[in-house]
Amino acid sequence: QKEVEQDPGPLSVPEGAIVSLNCTYSNSAFQYFMWYRQYSRKGPELLMYTYSSGNKEDGRFTAQVDKSSKYISLFIRDSQPSDSATYLCAMSEVDTNAGKSTFGDGTTLTVKP
Amino acid sequence: KAGVTQTPRYLIKTRGQQVTLSCSPISGHRSVSWYQQTPGQGLQFLFEYFSETQRNKGNFPGRFSGRQFSNSRSEMNVSTLELGDSALYLCASTRGSDNSPLHFGNGTRLTVT
């Protein structure tokens, strides 16, 4: 079983919809949680970075961490066609730093105009 | 501030050959990590270098090696290439002294024929 499991998708939504992307994990040592967006033929781009449980908001994006359930989510409000990409969750332990992050397999999102 | 730069963007090699990939981190970042991305396995951690020393290592065979120079630039080498080594190789950098998240380059697409 993988340490990080991500809802596989693909996900297709109409423009303006609220999108929910989710990951679960099994390693209790994970303390730092990231969401990346990857466009085709590009490297992953950092969207959100959180530590410990709680919510963090940045514009249309909200990251949510529930360490008791080992569950993290990324919400995208008012989704746009430009949000169409693959979204990757990532996690790291305090002892190893983010250099050795563990990634989910990604969820491909398509936002239709 | 310039981002992470990887060269070359594309490479085609033959089985049995070796290849060297190059990465220049964000200015001020002392940690460089390498990841392999394939459709079947997702993003897999290869190794991390910090201050010219390998700090973390993933579960890849010894054919995969790396090094880091005093200016934090890093190279990754793969010897005796196999067809299964075809992948997108991503380099990422962080400050390395705290748990700041990874910032990725756009990768080198390696095709082994």
Coordinates of all heavy atoms in Angstrom, one line a residue, chain B residues 25-108:
Chain B
P25 N 19.8 25.4 -9.2 CA 18.7 25.8 -8.2 C 18.4 27.3 -8.2 O 19.1 28.1 -8.8 CB 19.2 25.3 -6.9 CG 20.7 25.4 -7.0 CD 21.0 25.1 -8.5
I26 N 17.3 27.6 -7.5 CA 17.0 29.0 -7.2 C 18.2 29.6 -6.4 O 18.7 28.9 -5.5 CB 15.7 29.1 -6.5 CG1 14.5 28.7 -7.4 CG2 15.5 30.5 -5.9 CD1 13.2 28.6 -6.7
S27 N 18.5 30.8 -6.7 CA 19.6 31.5 -6.0 C 19.3 31.5 -4.5 O 18.2 31.8 -4.0 CB 19.7 32.9 -6.5 OG 20.7 33.6 -5.8
G28 N 20.3 31.0 -3.7 CA 20.2 31.0 -2.2 C 19.7 29.6 -1.7 O 19.8 29.4 -0.5
H29 N 19.2 28.8 -2.6 CA 18.8 27.5 -2.2 C 20.0 26.5 -2.2 O 20.8 26.5 -3.2 CB 17.7 26.9 -3.2 CG 16.4 27.5 -3.0 ND1 15.2 27.0 -3.6 CD2 16.0 28.6 -2.2 CE1 14.2 27.7 -3.2 NE2 14.6 28.7 -2.4
R30 N 20.2 25.8 -1.1 CA 21.3 24.9 -0.9 C 21.0 23.4 -1.1 O 21.8 22.6 -1.1 CB 22.0 25.2 0.4 CG 22.6 26.6 0.5 CD 22.9 26.9 1.9 NE 23.9 26.0 2.5 CZ 24.1 25.9 3.8 NH1 23.4 26.6 4.7 NH2 25.0 25.0 4.3
S31 N 19.7 23.1 -1.1 CA 19.3 21.7 -1.3 C 18.7 21.5 -2.7 O 17.9 22.3 -3.2 CB 18.2 21.4 -0.2 OG 17.5 20.2 -0.6
V32 N 19.2 20.4 -3.3 CA 18.7 20.0 -4.6 C 18.2 18.6 -4.5 O 18.9 17.7 -4.1 CB 19.7 20.2 -5.7 CG1 19.2 19.6 -7.0 CG2 20.1 21.6 -5.9
S33 N 17.0 18.3 -5.0 CA 16.4 17.0 -5.0 C 16.1 16.6 -6.4 O 15.8 17.4 -7.3 CB 15.1 16.9 -4.2 OG 15.4 17.2 -2.8
W34 N 16.2 15.3 -6.7 CA 15.8 14.8 -8.0 C 14.7 13.8 -7.9 O 14.7 13.0 -7.0 CB 17.1 14.1 -8.6 CG 18.1 15.0 -9.0 CD1 19.2 15.4 -8.3 CD2 18.3 15.6 -10.3 NE1 20.0 16.3 -9.0 CE2 19.5 16.4 -10.3 CE3 17.6 15.5 -11.5 CZ2 20.0 17.1 -11.4 CZ3 18.1 16.3 -12.6 CH2 19.3 17.0 -12.5
Y35 N 13.8 13.9 -8.8 CA 12.6 13.0 -8.9 C 12.5 12.4 -10.3 O 12.8 13.1 -11.3 CB 11.3 13.7 -8.5 CG 11.2 14.1 -7.0 CD1 11.9 15.1 -6.5 CD2 10.4 13.3 -6.2 CE1 11.8 15.4 -5.1 CE2 10.3 13.6 -4.8 CZ 11.0 14.6 -4.3 OH 10.9 14.9 -3.0
Q36 N 12.0 11.2 -10.4 CA 11.6 10.6 -11.6 C 10.1 10.5 -11.7 O 9.4 10.1 -10.8 CB 12.1 9.1 -11.7 CG 11.8 8.4 -13.0 CD 12.1 6.9 -12.9 OE1 11.4 6.2 -12.2 NE2 13.0 6.4 -13.7
Q37 N 9.5 11.0 -12.8 CA 8.1 11.0 -13.0 C 7.7 10.1 -14.2 O 8.2 10.4 -15.4 CB 7.5 12.4 -13.2 CG 6.0 12.4 -13.2 CD 5.4 13.8 -13.3 OE1 6.0 14.7 -13.9 NE2 4.3 14.0 -12.6
T38 N 6.9 9.1 -14.0 CA 6.4 8.2 -15.1 C 4.9 8.1 -14.9 O 4.4 8.2 -13.8 CB 7.1 6.8 -15.0 OG1 6.8 6.2 -13.8 CG2 8.6 6.9 -15.2
P39 N 4.2 7.8 -16.0 CA 2.7 7.6 -15.9 C 2.3 6.5 -14.9 O 1.4 6.7 -14.2 CB 2.3 7.3 -17.3 CG 3.4 7.9 -18.2 CD 4.7 7.7 -17.4
G40 N 3.1 5.5 -14.9 CA 2.7 4.3 -14.0 C 3.1 4.5 -12.6 O 2.4 4.0 -11.7
Q41 N 4.2 5.2 -12.3 CA 4.7 5.2 -10.9 C 4.6 6.6 -10.3 O 4.9 6.8 -9.1 CB 6.2 4.8 -10.9 CG 6.4 3.4 -11.3 CD 5.8 2.4 -10.3 OE1 5.8 2.6 -9.1 NE2 5.2 1.4 -10.9
G42 N 4.2 7.6 -11.0 CA 4.1 9.0 -10.5 C 5.4 9.5 -10.2 O 6.4 9.2 -10.9
L43 N 5.5 10.4 -9.2 CA 6.8 11.1 -8.8 C 7.5 10.2 -7.8 O 7.0 10.0 -6.7 CB 6.5 12.5 -8.3 CG 6.5 13.6 -9.2 CD1 5.7 14.8 -8.7 CD2 7.9 14.1 -9.4
Q44 N 8.7 9.8 -8.2 CA 9.5 8.9 -7.3 C 10.7 9.7 -6.9 O 11.4 10.2 -7.8 CB 9.8 7.6 -7.9 CG 8.6 6.8 -8.4 CD 7.9 6.1 -7.3 OE1 8.6 5.4 -6.5 NE2 6.6 6.3 -7.1
F45 N 11.0 9.7 -5.6 CA 12.2 10.4 -5.1 C 13.5 9.6 -5.4 O 13.6 8.4 -5.1 CB 12.1 10.6 -3.6 CG 13.3 11.1 -2.9 CD1 13.6 12.5 -3.0 CD2 14.0 10.3 -2.1 CE1 14.7 13.0 -2.4 CE2 15.2 10.8 -1.4 CZ 15.5 12.1 -1.6
L46 N 14.5 10.3 -6.0 CA 15.7 9.7 -6.3 C 16.8 10.0 -5.2 O 17.3 9.0 -4.6 CB 16.3 10.2 -7.6 CG 15.6 9.6 -8.9 CD1 15.7 10.5 -10.0 CD2 16.3 8.3 -9.2
F47 N 17.1 11.2 -5.0 CA 18.0 11.6 -3.9 C 18.0 13.1 -3.7 O 17.5 13.9 -4.6 CB 19.5 11.2 -4.2 CG 19.9 11.1 -5.7 CD1 19.9 12.2 -6.5 CD2 20.1 9.8 -6.2 CE1 20.3 12.1 -7.8 CE2 20.5 9.8 -7.6 CZ 20.6 10.9 -8.3
E48 N 18.6 13.5 -2.6 CA 18.7 14.9 -2.2 C 20.1 15.3 -1.9 O 20.8 14.5 -1.2 CB 17.8 15.3 -1.1 CG 17.9 16.8 -0.6 CD 17.4 17.0 0.8 OE1 17.2 16.0 1.5 OE2 17.3 18.2 1.2
Y49 N 20.6 16.4 -2.3 CA 21.9 16.9 -2.0 C 21.8 18.2 -1.2 O 21.0 19.1 -1.6 CB 22.8 17.0 -3.2 CG 23.3 15.7 -3.7 CD1 22.5 15.0 -4.6 CD2 24.5 15.2 -3.3 CE1 22.9 13.7 -5.1 CE2 24.9 13.9 -3.8 CZ 24.1 13.2 -4.6 OH 24.5 12.0 -5.1
F50 N 22.6 18.3 -0.2 CA 22.6 19.6 0.6 C 24.1 19.9 0.9 O 24.8 19.0 1.5 CB 21.8 19.4 1.9 CG 21.8 20.6 2.8 CD1 21.2 21.8 2.4 CD2 22.5 20.6 4.0 CE1 21.2 22.9 3.3 CE2 22.5 21.7 4.8 CZ 21.9 22.8 4.5
S51 N 24.6 21.0 0.6 CA 25.9 21.4 0.8 C 26.9 20.3 0.4 O 27.8 19.9 1.1 CB 26.2 21.7 2.3 OG 25.5 22.8 2.8
E52 N 26.7 19.9 -0.9 CA 27.6 19.0 -1.6 C 27.6 17.5 -1.1 O 28.4 16.7 -1.5 CB 29.0 19.5 -1.6 CG 29.2 20.9 -2.2 CD 30.6 21.4 -2.2 OE1 31.5 20.8 -2.9 OE2 30.9 22.4 -1.5
T53 N 26.7 17.2 -0.1 CA 26.6 15.9 0.5 C 25.2 15.3 0.2 O 24.2 16.0 0.3 CB 26.8 16.0 2.0 OG1 28.1 16.6 2.2 CG2 26.7 14.6 2.6
Q54 N 25.2 14.0 -0.1 CA 23.9 13.4 -0.3 C 23.2 13.2 1.1 O 23.7 12.5 2.0 CB 24.1 12.0 -0.9 CG 22.7 11.4 -1.3 CD 22.9 10.0 -2.0 OE1 23.1 9.0 -1.3 NE2 23.0 10.0 -3.3
R55 N 22.1 13.8 1.3 CA 21.4 13.8 2.6 C 20.3 12.8 2.7 O 20.0 12.2 3.7 CB 20.8 15.2 2.8 CG 20.2 15.4 4.2 CD 20.1 16.8 4.6 NE 19.1 17.6 3.9 CZ 18.7 18.8 4.2 NH1 19.3 19.4 5.2 NH2 17.9 19.5 3.5
N56 N 19.6 12.5 1.6 CA 18.6 11.5 1.5 C 18.7 10.7 0.2 O 19.1 11.3 -0.8 CB 17.2 12.1 1.6 CG 16.9 12.6 3.0 OD1 16.8 11.8 4.0 ND2 16.7 13.9 3.2
K57 N 18.3 9.5 0.2 CA 18.3 8.6 -1.0 C 17.1 7.8 -1.1 O 16.6 7.3 -0.1 CB 19.5 7.7 -0.9 CG 19.8 6.9 -2.1 CD 21.1 6.1 -2.0 CE 21.5 5.4 -3.3 NZ 20.5 4.7 -3.9
G58 N 16.5 7.7 -2.3 CA 15.4 6.9 -2.5 C 15.8 5.4 -2.9 O 16.9 5.0 -2.7
N59 N 14.8 4.7 -3.4 CA 15.0 3.3 -3.6 C 15.3 3.0 -5.1 O 14.5 2.3 -5.8 CB 13.8 2.4 -3.2 CG 13.6 2.5 -1.7 OD1 14.6 2.6 -0.9 ND2 12.4 2.7 -1.3
F60 N 16.3 3.6 -5.6 CA 16.7 3.4 -7.0 C 18.1 2.6 -7.0 O 18.9 2.8 -6.1 CB 16.8 4.7 -7.7 CG 15.5 5.2 -8.2 CD1 14.6 5.9 -7.4 CD2 15.1 5.1 -9.5 CE1 13.4 6.3 -7.8 CE2 13.9 5.5 -10.0 CZ 13.0 6.2 -9.1
P61 N 18.3 1.9 -8.1 CA 19.6 1.1 -8.2 C 20.8 2.1 -8.3 O 20.6 3.3 -8.6 CB 19.4 0.3 -9.5 CG 18.3 0.9 -10.3 CD 17.4 1.6 -9.3
G62 N 21.9 1.5 -8.1 CA 23.2 2.3 -8.1 C 23.5 2.9 -9.4 O 24.4 3.8 -9.5
R63 N 22.8 2.5 -10.5 CA 23.1 3.2 -11.8 C 22.7 4.6 -11.8 O 23.1 5.4 -12.6 CB 22.2 2.5 -12.9 CG 22.5 1.0 -13.1 CD 21.7 0.4 -14.3 NE 20.3 0.5 -14.1 CZ 19.5 1.4 -14.7 NH1 20.0 2.2 -15.6 NH2 18.2 1.3 -14.5
F64 N 21.9 5.0 -10.8 CA 21.5 6.4 -10.7 C 22.4 7.1 -9.6 O 22.4 6.6 -8.5 CB 20.0 6.5 -10.2 CG 19.0 6.0 -11.3 CD1 18.7 4.7 -11.4 CD2 18.4 6.9 -12.1 CE1 17.9 4.2 -12.4 CE2 17.5 6.5 -13.0 CZ 17.2 5.1 -13.2
S65 N 23.0 8.1 -10.0 CA 23.9 8.8 -9.1 C 23.8 10.3 -9.3 O 23.3 10.7 -10.3 CB 25.4 8.3 -9.2 OG 25.8 8.6 -10.5
G66 N 24.3 11.0 -8.3 CA 24.3 12.5 -8.5 C 25.5 13.1 -7.7 O 26.3 12.4 -7.1
R67 N 25.5 14.4 -7.9 CA 26.5 15.1 -7.1 C 26.1 16.6 -7.1 O 25.3 17.0 -7.9 CB 27.9 15.0 -7.7 CG 28.1 15.5 -9.2 CD 29.5 15.4 -9.6 NE 29.7 15.7 -11.0 CZ 30.9 15.9 -11.6 NH1 32.0 15.8 -10.9 NH2 31.0 16.2 -12.9
Q68 N 26.7 17.3 -6.2 CA 26.4 18.7 -6.1 C 27.7 19.5 -5.9 O 28.6 19.1 -5.3 CB 25.5 19.0 -4.8 CG 25.0 20.4 -4.8 CD 24.1 20.7 -3.5 OE1 24.3 20.1 -2.5 NE2 23.1 21.6 -3.7
F69 N 27.7 20.6 -6.6 CA 28.9 21.4 -6.6 C 28.8 22.6 -5.5 O 27.8 22.8 -5.0 CB 29.1 22.0 -8.0 CG 29.2 21.0 -9.1 CD1 28.0 20.6 -9.8 CD2 30.4 20.3 -9.3 CE1 28.1 19.7 -10.8 CE2 30.4 19.3 -10.3 CZ 29.3 19.0 -11.0
S70 N 29.9 23.2 -5.3 CA 30.0 24.2 -4.3 C 29.0 25.4 -4.5 O 28.7 26.1 -3.6 CB 31.4 24.8 -4.1 OG 31.9 25.3 -5.3
N71 N 28.6 25.6 -5.8 CA 27.7 26.7 -6.1 C 26.2 26.2 -6.0 O 25.3 26.9 -6.5 CB 28.0 27.3 -7.5 CG 27.8 26.3 -8.6 OD1 27.6 25.1 -8.4 ND2 28.1 26.7 -9.8
S72 N 26.0 25.0 -5.5 CA 24.7 24.3 -5.3 C 24.2 23.7 -6.6 O 23.2 23.0 -6.5 CB 23.7 25.3 -4.7 OG 24.0 25.6 -3.4
R73 N 24.8 24.0 -7.7 CA 24.3 23.3 -9.0 C 24.5 21.8 -8.8 O 25.4 21.3 -8.1 CB 25.1 23.8 -10.1 CG 24.6 23.5 -11.5 CD 25.4 24.1 -12.6 NE 26.7 23.5 -12.7 CZ 27.1 22.4 -13.4 NH1 26.1 21.7 -14.0 NH2 28.3 22.0 -13.4
S74 N 23.6 21.0 -9.5 CA 23.7 19.6 -9.3 C 23.6 18.9 -10.6 O 23.1 19.4 -11.6 CB 22.5 19.1 -8.4 OG 22.5 17.7 -8.3
E75 N 24.2 17.7 -10.7 CA 24.1 16.8 -11.9 C 23.6 15.5 -11.4 O 23.9 15.0 -10.3 CB 25.4 16.7 -12.5 CG 25.9 17.9 -13.3 CD 27.2 17.7 -14.0 OE1 27.9 16.7 -13.7 OE2 27.6 18.6 -14.8
M76 N 22.9 14.8 -12.3 CA 22.4 13.5 -12.1 C 22.9 12.6 -13.3 O 22.9 13.1 -14.4 CB 20.9 13.4 -12.0 CG 20.4 12.1 -11.6 SD 18.6 11.9 -11.8 CE 18.6 11.1 -13.4
N77 N 23.4 11.5 -12.9 CA 23.9 10.6 -14.0 C 23.2 9.2 -13.9 O 22.9 8.7 -12.8 CB 25.5 10.3 -13.7 CG 26.1 9.5 -14.8 OD1 26.1 8.3 -14.7 ND2 26.6 10.2 -15.8
V78 N 22.9 8.7 -15.1 CA 22.3 7.4 -15.2 C 23.2 6.6 -16.1 O 23.4 7.0 -17.3 CB 20.9 7.4 -15.7 CG1 20.3 6.0 -15.6 CG2 20.0 8.4 -15.0
S79 N 23.7 5.5 -15.6 CA 24.6 4.6 -16.4 C 23.9 3.4 -16.9 O 22.8 3.1 -16.4 CB 25.8 4.2 -15.6 OG 25.4 3.4 -14.5
T80 N 24.4 2.8 -18.0 CA 23.8 1.6 -18.5 C 22.3 1.7 -18.6 O 21.5 1.0 -18.0 CB 24.2 0.3 -17.7 OG1 25.5 0.4 -17.2 CG2 24.0 -0.9 -18.5
L81 N 21.9 2.6 -19.5 CA 20.5 2.9 -19.6 C 19.6 1.7 -20.0 O 20.0 0.9 -20.8 CB 20.3 4.1 -20.6 CG 20.6 5.5 -20.1 CD1 20.8 6.4 -21.3 CD2 19.6 6.0 -19.1
E82 N 18.4 1.7 -19.4 CA 17.4 0.6 -19.7 C 16.2 1.3 -20.3 O 16.0 2.5 -20.0 CB 17.1 -0.2 -18.5 CG 18.3 -0.8 -17.9 CD 17.9 -1.6 -16.6 OE1 16.7 -1.5 -16.2 OE2 18.8 -2.2 -16.0
L83 N 15.4 0.6 -21.0 CA 14.2 1.1 -21.6 C 13.3 1.8 -20.5 O 12.7 2.8 -20.7 CB 13.4 0.1 -22.4 CG 14.1 -0.5 -23.7 CD1 13.2 -1.6 -24.3 CD2 14.4 0.6 -24.7
G84 N 13.3 1.1 -19.4 CA 12.4 1.6 -18.3 C 12.9 2.9 -17.6 O 12.2 3.4 -16.8
D85 N 14.0 3.4 -18.0 CA 14.5 4.6 -17.5 C 13.9 5.8 -18.2 O 14.1 7.0 -17.8 CB 16.0 4.7 -17.6 CG 16.7 3.7 -16.8 OD1 16.2 3.2 -15.8 OD2 17.9 3.3 -17.2
S86 N 13.1 5.5 -19.3 CA 12.5 6.6 -20.0 C 11.5 7.3 -19.1 O 10.6 6.6 -18.5 CB 11.7 6.1 -21.2 OG 12.6 5.6 -22.2
A87 N 11.6 8.6 -18.9 CA 10.8 9.3 -17.9 C 11.1 10.8 -18.0 O 12.0 11.2 -18.7 CB 11.1 8.8 -16.5
L88 N 10.3 11.5 -17.2 CA 10.6 12.9 -17.0 C 11.4 13.0 -15.7 O 10.9 12.6 -14.6 CB 9.3 13.8 -16.9 CG 9.5 15.3 -16.7 CD1 10.1 15.9 -17.9 CD2 8.1 15.9 -16.4
Y89 N 12.6 13.6 -15.8 CA 13.4 13.8 -14.6 C 13.3 15.2 -14.1 O 13.7 16.1 -14.8 CB 14.9 13.3 -14.8 CG 15.0 11.8 -15.0 CD1 14.8 11.3 -16.3 CD2 15.2 11.0 -13.9 CE1 14.8 9.9 -16.4 CE2 15.2 9.6 -14.1 CZ 15.0 9.1 -15.3 OH 15.0 7.7 -15.5
L90 N 12.8 15.3 -12.9 CA 12.6 16.7 -12.3 C 13.6 17.0 -11.2 O 13.9 16.1 -10.4 CB 11.2 16.7 -11.7 CG 10.0 16.7 -12.8 CD1 8.7 16.3 -12.1 CD2 9.9 18.0 -13.4
C91 N 14.1 18.2 -11.3 CA 14.9 18.7 -10.2 C 14.2 19.7 -9.4 O 13.3 20.5 -10.0 CB 16.2 19.3 -10.9 SG 17.2 20.3 -9.7
A92 N 14.4 19.8 -8.1 CA 13.7 20.7 -7.3 C 14.7 21.3 -6.2 O 15.6 20.6 -5.8 CB 12.5 20.1 -6.6
S93 N 14.5 22.5 -5.8 CA 15.4 23.1 -4.8 C 14.6 23.7 -3.6 O 13.4 24.0 -3.8 CB 16.3 24.1 -5.4 OG 15.6 25.3 -5.8
T94 N 15.2 23.7 -2.5 CA 14.7 24.4 -1.3 C 15.9 25.1 -0.6 O 17.0 24.8 -0.9 CB 14.0 23.4 -0.3 OG1 15.0 22.6 0.3 CG2 13.1 22.5 -1.0
R95 N 15.5 25.9 0.4 CA 16.6 26.5 1.2 C 17.4 25.4 1.8 O 18.7 25.5 2.0 CB 16.1 27.4 2.2 CG 15.6 28.7 1.6 CD 15.3 29.7 2.7 NE 14.1 29.4 3.5 CZ 12.8 29.8 3.2 NH1 12.7 30.6 2.2 NH2 11.8 29.4 3.9
G96 N 16.7 24.3 2.3 CA 17.4 23.2 2.9 C 17.7 23.2 4.4 O 17.9 22.2 5.0
S97 N 17.6 24.4 5.0 CA 17.9 24.5 6.4 C 16.6 24.6 7.2 O 16.7 24.7 8.4 CB 18.7 25.8 6.6 OG 18.0 26.9 6.1
D98 N 15.5 24.6 6.6 CA 14.2 24.6 7.3 C 13.3 23.6 6.4 O 13.7 22.9 5.6 CB 13.6 26.0 7.4 CG 13.5 26.7 6.0 OD1 13.5 26.0 5.0 OD2 13.5 27.9 6.0
N99 N 12.0 23.7 6.7 CA 11.1 22.8 6.0 C 10.4 23.5 4.8 O 9.2 23.2 4.5 CB 10.1 22.2 6.9 CG 10.7 21.0 7.7 OD1 10.9 19.9 7.1 ND2 11.1 21.2 8.9
S100 N 11.0 24.5 4.2 CA 10.4 25.2 3.1 C 10.2 24.2 2.0 O 11.0 23.2 1.8 CB 11.3 26.3 2.6 OG 12.6 25.8 2.3
P101 N 9.1 24.4 1.2 CA 8.7 23.4 0.2 C 9.6 23.4 -1.1 O 10.4 24.3 -1.3 CB 7.3 23.8 -0.2 CG 7.3 25.3 0.1 CD 8.2 25.5 1.2
L102 N 9.4 22.3 -1.8 CA 10.2 22.2 -3.1 C 9.7 23.1 -4.2 O 8.5 23.4 -4.3 CB 10.0 20.7 -3.6 CG 10.7 19.6 -2.8 CD1 10.1 18.3 -3.2 CD2 12.2 19.7 -2.8
H103 N 10.6 23.6 -5.0 CA 10.3 24.4 -6.2 C 11.0 23.7 -7.3 O 12.2 23.4 -7.3 CB 10.9 25.8 -6.1 CG 10.2 26.6 -5.0 ND1 9.1 27.4 -5.2 CD2 10.4 26.7 -3.7 CE1 8.7 27.9 -4.1 NE2 9.5 27.6 -3.1
F104 N 10.1 23.3 -8.3 CA 10.6 22.4 -9.4 C 11.0 23.2 -10.6 O 10.5 24.3 -11.0 CB 9.4 21.5 -9.8 CG 9.2 20.3 -8.8 CD1 8.4 20.5 -7.7 CD2 9.9 19.1 -9.0 CE1 8.2 19.4 -6.9 CE2 9.7 18.1 -8.1 CZ 8.9 18.2 -7.0
G105 N 11.9 22.6 -11.4 CA 12.2 23.0 -12.7 C 11.2 22.3 -13.7 O 10.3 21.6 -13.2
N106 N 11.4 22.5 -15.0 CA 10.4 21.9 -16.0 C 10.9 20.6 -16.4 O 10.2 20.0 -17.3 CB 10.3 22.9 -17.2 CG 9.3 24.0 -16.8 OD1 8.4 23.9 -16.1 ND2 9.7 25.2 -17.3
G107 N 12.0 20.1 -15.9 CA 12.3 18.7 -16.2 C 13.1 18.4 -17.4 O 13.2 19.3 -18.3
T108 N 13.7 17.3 -17.5 CA 14.4 16.7 -18.7 C 13.6 15.5 -19.1 O 13.5 14.6 -18.3 CB 15.9 16.4 -18.4 OG1 16.6 17.6 -18.1 CG2 16.5 15.7 -19.6

